[in-house]
C-alpha cells in the first residue's frame, strides 16, 4: 500500500494512568502500545507515518528513534481534529489514503486498515471504523444503512432515544484520501460545549456535502482504548488469552494456560510442553520437543530441540541451550551456552560461560564472572565434571574430560583429563566441641541466675 500514510494521535496527558511514563509507552506483552501500532501498520508498508506528540514529547521521540517515523507537535491542544491537522506539514506532497488513529488504541490490525482503504477504492470518500460493544455506554453512535452507508454520526449526549438504542459505536478511526482529508479537517469547527475540534466531524462534514461515507465493523476488543492501569491490565489479559490459544493451535501443550505469560515475540515450536506458572520475557525462541517445567522465567534465551528446563529455573539474556541439554531447579544462566547433552541439574549460577557437550555441572557450582568492574569468561570442555559446591573464578578454562573435585575454588586453568582438588587440610580437635558446649551452657545459666 504505497499510497498509504498513518497519523497516530499521542499528544494527550494521559492523567488517568497516573504515571511519569507517557501513556502510549506503557507495555502490553513487553512492547509499548505505540510500537504495537507501528509494527502492525508496518505490514502495510506506509509511505509515511506521523506521530502527533505533545505532553512528554521527549519520551516519544526517544521511543521512535531509529524508526522511519516523524513526530509533529500539537501545542496548544484543541481536540482530535486539530491534532490530526498538525501532521499536515509532515505529509506535505503526499497523495494517497490517510488513516487517523489513536496511540492508546494499540490492537488495530493491518487487515482492518486494509478494509477501510478498500471502502475508499469502492467509492466511499470517507471510511470510519465501527464496533458493537456488549455495553454501548456513552460511545458516539453510527447510524448506518444495511449496506454500510453512514447516514449520521452522533455523540451520545446529542443522540435521541432511538439513536441511543443503536449499538453500532464509533471507534474514532477514520480514513480518507488526502484530497478529501485536509479540506474536511480544515472545515471542522469547535461549536460544541468543550470548544474543541473533533475528528468524527470529518465524517459529519463529508455527509453534509453529499459524500458517501461508509462504516467498516471490527471486534470491540480490537479498538478498546486504554486510559487507566485497569484498562491496561484488561488489554494484557486479552492479548495473553489470544496468544495462548494460538500456541496450543500451533502444537504446544500448556498444562495450565491461564498461568503462562508470553511476550510479544515469543516463538514456540511443536510438541513443546509448558507447565504452570512459566513467564516468557522478550527474545525467547523455543524449538520442537522442549519441556519447560513449572515456575521458570525465560528472557532473551534460545532453546534447541529436546531441552528440559526447570522447575524454578531462570534463563537470562544470552542463554543458549543446545540439543538435549538440561537445566534443573534453581539454576540461573546468563550470557552462557550449555552444550549438547550437558547438564546443570540444580542450585547453580552459570554466567558468561561456555559449557561443552555432555559436561556435568554439580549442585551449588558458580562461575565467579565479575570482579566489581569487568566480566570474565569461563570455558568448560566437553565431558568435564564439575563437583558440587565448586567456585570457578573467571577467567578460567576447564579442559575436556577434566574433573573438579567437590568444594574446590578453581582460579587457574585445568588441563584436559586432569583432576583438580582445591581444599584446605581438615583439622580435627578431639573433645573441643564438648568443652565449648559445656562452657556456653555455664555462661547461659549464670546469666539467667542474675536476672
Amino acid at each position: 500500500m504505497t499510497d498509504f500514510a498513518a497519523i497516530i494521535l499521542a499528544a494527550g496527558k494521559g492523567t488517568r494512568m497516573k504515571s511519569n511514563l507517557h501513556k502510549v509507552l506503557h507495555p502490553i506483552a513487553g512492547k509499548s502500545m505505540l510500537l504495537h501500532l507501528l509494527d502492525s501498520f508496518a505490514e502495510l508498508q506506509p509511505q509515511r507515518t506521523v506521530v502527533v506528540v505533545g505532553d512528554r514529547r521527549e519520551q516519544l521521540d526517544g521511543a521512535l528513534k531509529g524508526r522511519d517515523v516523524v513526530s509533529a507537535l500539537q501545542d496548544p491542544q484543541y481536540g482530535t481534529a486539530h491534532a490530526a491537522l498538525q501532521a499536515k506539514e509532515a505529509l506535505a506532497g503526499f497523495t494517497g489514503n490517510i488513516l487517523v488513529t489513536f496511540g492508546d488504541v494499540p490492537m488495530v490490525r493491518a487487515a482492518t486498515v486494509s478494509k477501510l482503504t478498500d471502502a475508499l477504492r469502492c467509492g466511499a470518500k470517507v471510511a470510519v471504523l465501527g464496533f458493537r460493544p456488549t455495553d454501548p455506554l456513552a460511545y458516539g453512535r453510527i447510524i448506518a444503512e444495511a449496506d454500510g452507508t453512514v447516514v449520521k454520526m452522533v455523540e451520545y449526549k446529542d443522540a435521541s432515544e432511538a439513536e441511543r438504542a443503536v449499538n453500532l459505536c464509533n471507534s474514532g478511526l477514520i480514513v480518507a484520501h488526502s484530497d478529501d482529508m485536509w479540506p474536511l479537517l480544515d472545515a471542522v469547527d469547535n461549536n460544541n460545549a468543550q470548544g474543541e475540534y473533533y475528528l468524527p466531524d470529518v465524517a459529519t462534514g463529508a455527509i453534509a456535502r453529499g459524500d458517501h461515507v461508509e462504516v467498516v465493523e471490527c471486534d470491540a476488543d480490537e479498538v478498546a482504548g486504554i486510559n487507566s492501569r485497569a484498562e491496561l491490565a484488561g488489554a494484557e489479559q486479552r492479548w495473553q488469552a489470544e496468544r495462548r490459544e494460538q500456541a496450543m493451535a500451533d502444537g504446544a501443550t500448556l498444562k495450565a494456560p491461564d498461568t503462562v505469560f508470553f511476550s510479544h515475540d515469543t516463538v514456540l515450536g511443536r510438541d513443546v510442553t509448558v507447565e504452570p506458572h512459566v513467564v516468557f520475557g522478550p527474545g525467547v525462541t523455543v524449538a520442537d520437543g522442549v519441556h519447560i517445567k513449572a515456575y521458570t522465567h525465560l528472557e532473551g534465551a534460545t532453546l534447541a530441540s529436546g531441552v528440559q528446563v526447570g522447575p524454578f529455573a531462570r534463563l537470562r539474556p544470552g542463554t543458549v541451550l543446545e540439543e538435549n541439554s538440561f537445566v534443573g531447579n534453581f539454576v540461573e544462566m546468563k550470557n552462557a551456552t550449555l552444550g549438547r547433552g550437558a547438564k546443570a541439574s540444580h542450585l547453580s549460577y552459570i554466567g558468561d560461560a561456555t559449557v561443552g557437550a555432555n559436561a556435568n555441572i554439580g549442585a551449588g557450582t558458580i562461575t565467579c564472572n565479575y570482579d566489581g568492574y569487568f566480566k570474565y569468561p569461563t570455558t568448560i570442555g566437553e565431558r568435564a565434571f564439575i563437583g558440587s559446591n565448586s567456585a570457578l573464578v573467571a577467567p578460567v578454562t576447564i579442559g575436556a574430560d577434566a574433573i573438579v573435585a567437590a568444594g574446590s575454588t578453581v582460579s587457574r586453568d585445568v588441563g584436559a583429563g586432569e583432576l583438580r582438588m582445591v581444599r584446605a587440610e581438615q583439622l580435627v580437635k578431639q573433645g573441643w566441641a564438648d568443652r565449648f558446649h559445656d562452657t556456653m551452657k555455664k555462661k547461659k545459666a549464670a546469666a539467667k541466675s542474675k536476672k
Side-chain angles (χ1 to χ4, degrees):
M1 294 175 61
T2 55
D3 60 345
F4 169 70
I7 301 172
I8 300 173
L9 306 185
K13 295 183 181 298
T15 53
R16 287 172 55 192
M17 194 67 78
K18 294 182 171 61
S19 176
N20 292 325
L21 181 67
H22 194 290
K23 177 171 67 172
V24 302
L25 298 182
H26 281 262
I28 298 169
K31 181 165 69 173
S32 72
M33 290 189 249
L34 180 58
L35 295 190
H36 272 284
L37 268 181
L38 290 175
D39 288 346
S40 178
F41 294 164
E43 298 177 29
L44 304 173
Q45 298 180 321
Q47 188 172 334
R48 301 188 201 177
T49 301
V50 183
V51 177
V52 179
V53 301
D55 187 56
R56 298 171 188 167
R57 177 180 187 172
E58 69 285 352
Q59 293 185 8
L60 293 174
D61 286 343
L64 296 172
K65 190 174 182 179
R67 287 180 171 259
D68 188 19
V69 177
V70 298
S71 62
L73 179 64
Q74 184 194 22
D75 184 23
Q77 297 173 13
Y78 293 138
T80 50
H82 176 259
L85 269 173
Q86 307 316 299
K88 188 174 183 179
E89 182 178 348
L91 293 179
F94 170 77
T95 301
N97 298 324
I98 298 175
L99 165 73
V100 183
T101 186
F102 302 93
D104 59 2
V105 183
M107 294 305 160
V108 178
R109 295 181 172 90
T112 301
V113 177
S114 293
K115 291 178 182 178
L116 288 166
T117 56
D118 286 345
L120 300 189
R121 293 189 181 92
C122 292
K125 286 289 187 179
V126 174
V128 296
L129 189 60
F131 66 106
R132 299 181 189 272
T134 303
D135 187 347
L137 299 171
Y139 289 111
R141 301 301 202 264
I142 298 175
I143 312 302
E145 297 176 353
D147 65 354
T149 299
V150 178
V151 176
K152 183 180 182 181
M153 295 182 66
V154 58
E155 295 299 317
Y156 179 83
K157 63 181 181 299
D158 299 322
S160 66
E161 287 302 315
E163 289 167 341
R164 290 180 179 181
V166 173
N167 69 347
L168 181 58
C169 298
N170 179 26
S171 71
L173 277 73
I174 193 165
V175 172
H177 193 275
S178 55
D179 292 343
D180 297 303
M181 180 67 81
W182 302 126
L184 288 167
L185 280 170
D186 283 328
V188 172
D189 62 41
N190 64 343
N191 294 326
N192 53 66
Q194 300 299 320
E196 293 190 351
Y197 299 87
Y198 291 129
L199 188 61
D201 287 344
V202 167
T204 300
I207 294 170
R209 71 183 194 183
D211 292 338
H212 175 48
V213 176
E214 187 169 327
V215 61
V216 171
E217 295 190 39
C218 70
D219 184 80
D221 287 344
E222 186 175 351
V223 288
I226 299 173
N227 296 292
S228 67
R229 305 280 184 156
E231 290 173 350
L232 181 67
E236 179 80 36
Q237 185 178 39
R238 292 190 296 272
W239 190 96
Q240 292 292 343
E242 184 175 327
R243 182 64 182 88
R244 292 165 188 147
E245 290 293 332
Q246 186 63 53
M248 291 185 286
D250 290 342
T253 295
L254 309 183
K255 294 288 189 180
D258 289 348
T259 70
V260 175
F261 289 84
F262 292 106
S263 183
H264 64 96
D265 58 354
T266 304
V267 176
L268 294 184
R270 289 188 176 185
D271 295 316
V272 172
T273 298
V274 183
E275 293 188 3
H277 302 287
V278 171
V279 176
F280 294 90
V284 177
T285 299
V286 180
D288 296 348
V290 171
H291 188 172
I292 303 173
K293 297 181 181 179
Y295 294 97
T296 292
H297 188 283
L298 310 90
E299 182 178 356
T302 301
L303 283 61
S305 60
V307 163
Q308 293 189 57
V309 180
F312 295 99
R314 185 183 180 197
L315 305 184
R316 293 167 58 193
T319 295
V320 176
L321 303 184
E322 296 183 351
E323 288 84 353
N324 300 313
S325 58
F326 172 64
V327 169
N329 53 291
F330 302 105
V331 173
E332 179 180 354
M333 291 185 64
K334 187 271 299 180
N335 193 32
T337 297
L338 196 63
R340 182 190 300 265
K343 298 177 182 179
S345 296
H346 31 225
L347 303 167
S348 295
Y349 171 69
I350 306 171
D352 297 292
T354 301
V355 180
N358 298 308
N360 185 85
I361 309 298
T365 294
I366 61 171
T367 57
C368 307
N369 59 325
Y370 183 51
D371 65 1
Y373 296 93
F374 300 102
K375 299 289 183 69
Y376 301 94
T378 297
T379 302
I380 299 172
E382 296 183 356
R383 299 173 302 280
F385 184 94
I386 311 300
S388 298
N389 200 34
S390 293
L392 309 180
V393 183
V396 68
T397 296
I398 312 298
D401 298 301
I403 296 176
V404 174
S408 294
T409 299
V410 179
S411 57
R412 295 195 302 270
D413 290 352
V414 179
E418 289 183 357
L419 167 65
R420 179 66 57 84
M421 182 183 297
V422 188
R423 299 174 184 162
E425 183 180 354
Q426 294 190 35
L427 179 65
V428 179
K429 294 185 177 182
Q430 296 290 345
W432 188 93
D434 290 336
R435 293 191 297 273
F436 172 79
H437 291 310
D438 288 342
T439 299
M440 298 309 292
K441 287 176 182 177
K442 289 175 182 178
K443 286 183 178 180
K444 189 172 184 178
K448 285 184 177 180
S449 65
K450 291 179 181 180
K451 290 183 179 181

